[in-house]
Amino acid sequence: MKENARVNEAELLREIAETINGTYDMEHMLAVVLDKLLELTGLTTGWVFLIDPKRRDEQHCAASAQLPPALSRDGGRPMREGSCWCVDRFHDGRLQRAVNILNCKRIEDAVELKTGDTAGLTHHATIPLRAGDDLFGILNVGAPGKMAFTEDELALLQSVALQIGTAAHRIRLYAQERKRAELFMRLGEAARELRASSAPERVAADIVRVAGETLGWPHAALWMKEMTGIQLHATYDRGRLHVPVGRPPVPACNAVDELLRTLQSIRFEAKEGKALLATDGDPAGAAVPILLQGRPIGILAAGAGAGFDAVDAEALEALSAHAALTYENARLQEQGKAIARWEERNRIARDLHDSVSQMLFSLQLHARGLESAMRDAPDGVRRAAAEIGRLSREALTEMRGMIRQLRPAGLEEGLLTGLIRYGASIGLAVACDAGELRRMPERVELALWRIGQEALNNVRKHAGVDRAAIALSFEPGAVLMTVSDRGGGIAASEGGSHGGFGFGMTTMRERAETVGGTVTVVSRPGFGTDVNVRLPLPLPEEGGDA
């Protein structure tokens, strides 16, 4: 009989091992192994809790067998709520090996409150489930009338629990890889969607929509770095897309983790250059900086329930990289369109100058010659010749005016006049200070115009004042322009004299670099901001206009 018992025990252990090694379904594996283990040990009742060590108030009953009515009532409600001594020991670190539990608090509560039949169950053994150094659950087994377990019984239970832990680790790795493959397949779809996003004002909304609809995260938000700190540009919340009107500023913080703690009231584990993954809170989530040419221009955050993990954070990092490319592509497309419009206007202006304007000038000269040659002609003929001369002069004046108007929009009457009028159109009174003005190459004048517009936009949005000043001067080989205000200024950590740039400041710097120039910012909180532009000019001996 003993030989048969040993053979039966060996067979059951083999079946347990085969079950553990042959499935990738955690709860199915636990249910089958629990049944086999009860058969092997002669016990009658068992259950398995899967527990997140970071969530003390939650445990998930992943498998159970022959629970008494007091524990299985209401669809197993007593196994989902409250706590007990074994779970408390798990959380406080005292549960390191298989142990006898003197009695079961859930059973005691059922007896005291008379909530159901306990079927004679009073005690159970508790075995921690671990994968490597990580505890992830508890295995409890017992039988009516059994109040203690021998060392051999506990050793057997511990052996099976270690196998369960190894299988759980494998199953979790497999699930992570499947999730990673699915998320990055969706990320490919997201990249195609974002490549089609070209309007700069829609980029933020497209990114959070992709995060929600394509990647499946119920919550997403995008903030961009501006001169005065971080501003919310778009949110996605369970199918609802929102783009804030006016983009109210979020209080700027020195560290991204402090910012996110303020915004979402959850703790984050900071990893330099990587996603900031939530270690606590519900919903869990992560945030990652959006880097453009190595500089942070914004933050992309996403969140879900407890299922948001390191794999989601990897996908969020990849989405952030696509977001940066989307912003860069949108900027380049807009810049390309502006350049194309500028080149087309210049082409038309050159064509008019080289053809119609020259013909009108020739006509004017012929008209003057005709007037001189017909001094002795009848009055009617002389008046007709004079009228031809007058009309040709007026037509030439009109044509020159049209050619001037075909210069970049806003520059028809000159750079400073254009910036004064642009400031007035956005509610700013602009004062200009300039010495002797000189002729500049069109590409330099256009760069000053665009940089000036962006600088005035920043004054209007962030400085808290309705006045600005522009100073224009020349030095050998360069033109200097300063756009200044006496508003609130910028803290050094937000993009002041220490060299940081928001997205608008980055655009100004890049415009200057396209013509070989520089943009620097000098600012102190409470004393205003100066945007200094220096662009090179060809020297007279180089064949250009100084």
Side-chain angles (χ1 to χ4, degrees), residues 8 23 27 36 71 81 85 148 189 350 376 378 382 418 481:
N8 185 51
T23 182
E27 296 198 2
K36 298 291 183 184
L71 298 182
E81 297 179 348
W85 291 305
E189 300 175 14
R350 286 194 302 269
D376 297 329
R382 289 200 310 273
M481 183 175 76

Side-chain angles (χ1 to χ4, degrees), residues 135-187:
L135 289 171
F136 67 89
I138 295 173
L139 168 64
N140 289 336
V141 291
K146 188 171 183 64
M147 301 177 64
F149 292 79
T150 67
E151 289 298 320
D152 287 344
E153 288 174 321
L154 292 176
L156 175 62
L157 294 172
Q158 186 70 61
S159 174
V160 173
L162 289 173
Q163 293 185 64
I164 292 173
T166 301
H169 181 64
R170 174 178 52 81
I171 290 171
R172 287 182 172 180
L173 287 178
Y174 175 76
Q176 280 190 335
E177 289 306 314
R178 287 191 60 181
K179 181 176 181 178
R180 182 178 286 108
E182 182 178 354
L183 270 177
F184 277 84
M185 181 181 68
R186 293 181 186 175
L187 189 64

Side-chain angles (χ1 to χ4, degrees), residues 83 159 232 416 529:
S83 185
S159 174
L232 183 65
L416 294 180
T529 302

